[in-house]
DNA sequence: CTGTAACTGATAATACTTTTCAATTAGCAG
DNA sequence: CTGCTAATTGAAAAGTATTATCAGTTACAG
């Protein structure tokens, strides 16, 4: 088991969840890939080493891992989300509008650099031709700050 | 008809599409709201003044408008996209993780400011408690630059 | 006004995800 | 190690979002 697998599985245990072979397999499928994978892709990957696993179990596990913020869930175009290792915090995306490929980048220097500088640097490093950028902040609006967890 | 409606409808005509009452109604529903609306919400809004319109037509119109980049399509959590007036270019989002509300902000000063400064400013202006940010660049990866439009 | 290609709406089909529930199993107590 | 119990699994069904099909209708160029 890779160290990254272990981090996730022990976190599951710490939260009181059982460590089933199916869950381990899903975790491993995610951590062993650099790419963002759809639920179906993860299901197919897991099925190779773990035939008989249900797609339902994959969905359940992904939902659980995403809720615990042990993996990163991404919604771009298309009509299904994709998942990758790592938390969603300070972890950013470079999305290809041609093939849908997603490359992640960490950006500790976001504090120092502005977006346009970063765009140039990323383009050089990744070979992407960058056409657009989207900046999205997540948080709680004024109303939801007052009414805690009512609609969550 | 509002000026913003007219911009969109004339653009449709310019592209060779017919200007049906249904299309105008969908356009109006979008431009007359500040919020990001789901296809179903748009359908319900349009149905008030235009009973009998089909949900299918709403979907088709949204897809068309988004392709022509006359409206902005957004995928966040949940399981359906939402649409709002304005193009997607340099137009950013503040998403409430409590109620799903989306506030847009334009950011011409993204060039001058770094993300952390911007976060502080937005938080003060909007009243949001900002917990996280996601920066997403869109473009074409090296392969897709070489093989134009093969998979688009 | 007329013809025609584009558009609409109903139905059906497809895709993705969640619910339900009986059978199984991880992990604890002894 | 053995048995217990609640959590988990997988199959089937249901639910939700979206797209395809197609006959009838309509915008608009001429």
């Amino acid at each position: 088991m890779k160290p990254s697998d272990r981090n996730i599985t022990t976190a599951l245990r710490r939260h009181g969840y059982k460590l089933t072979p199916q869950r381990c397999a899903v975790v491993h499928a995610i951590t062993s890939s650099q790419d963002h994978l759809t639920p179906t892709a993860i299901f197919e990957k897991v099925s190779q080493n773990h035939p008989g696993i249900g797609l339902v179990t994959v969905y359940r596990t992904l939902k659980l891992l995403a809720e615990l913020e042990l993996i990163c869930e991404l919604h771009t175009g298309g009509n299904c989300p994709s998942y990758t290792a790592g938390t969603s915090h300070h972890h950013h995306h470079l999305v290809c509008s041609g093939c849908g490929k997603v490359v992640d980048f960490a950006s500790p220097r976001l504090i120092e650099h502005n977006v346009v500088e970063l765009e140039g640097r990323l383009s050089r490093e990744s070979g992407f031709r960058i056409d657009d950028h989207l900046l999205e902040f997540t948080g709680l609006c004024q109303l939801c700050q007052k009414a805690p967890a009512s609609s969550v």
Side-chain angles (χ1 to χ4, degrees), chain A:
Chain A
M1 192 184 281
K2 290 180 17 171
S4 50
D5 288 28
R6 181 158 296 283
N7 288 342
I8 295 178
T9 51
T10 54
L12 275 178
R13 293 258 48 224
R14 203 168 346 105
H15 284 273
Y17 294 99
K18 289 184 180 176
L19 215 51
T20 65
Q22 291 91 336
R23 282 177 179 162
C24 292
V26 170
V27 167
H28 186 70
I30 295 171
T31 59
S32 66
S33 171
Q34 290 292 316
D35 297 324
H36 277 251
L37 304 172
T38 61
T40 306
I42 292 168
F43 170 68
E44 285 166 2
K45 200 156 182 273
V46 170
S47 293
Q48 291 171 12
N49 299 319
H50 200 98
I53 191 172
L55 179 56
V56 193
T57 300
V58 173
Y59 272 107
R60 273 189 293 232
T61 306
L62 291 175
K63 197 180 174 192
L64 178 63
L65 294 172
E67 267 168 15
L68 298 177
E69 301 197 345
L70 299 173
I71 60 174
C72 167
E73 184 179 36
L74 168 69
H75 295 260
T76 42
N79 40 9
C80 64
S82 62
Y83 297 86
T84 196
T87 69
S88 57
H89 293 286
H90 300 112
H91 153 186
H92 305 284
H93 304 292
L94 200 48
V95 182
C96 178
S97 52
C99 59
K101 179 189 175 75
V102 179
V103 176
D104 293 341
F105 65 94
S107 183
R109 284 183 286 173
L110 213 51
I111 300 170
E112 301 159 27
H113 297 294
N114 71 47
V115 173
V116 174
E117 283 170 8
L118 190 61
E119 185 170 310
R121 189 157 59 87
L122 278 172
S123 182
R124 283 192 298 279
E125 288 174 9
S126 66
F128 266 60
R129 191 195 76 206
I130 297 180
D131 299 322
D132 198 11
H133 60 256
L134 172 75
L135 183 57
E136 198 168 292
F137 292 96
T138 315
L140 284 181
C141 68
Q142 283 184 308
L143 281 174
C144 288
Q145 286 175 56
K146 289 176 193 163
S150 64
S151 54
V152 182

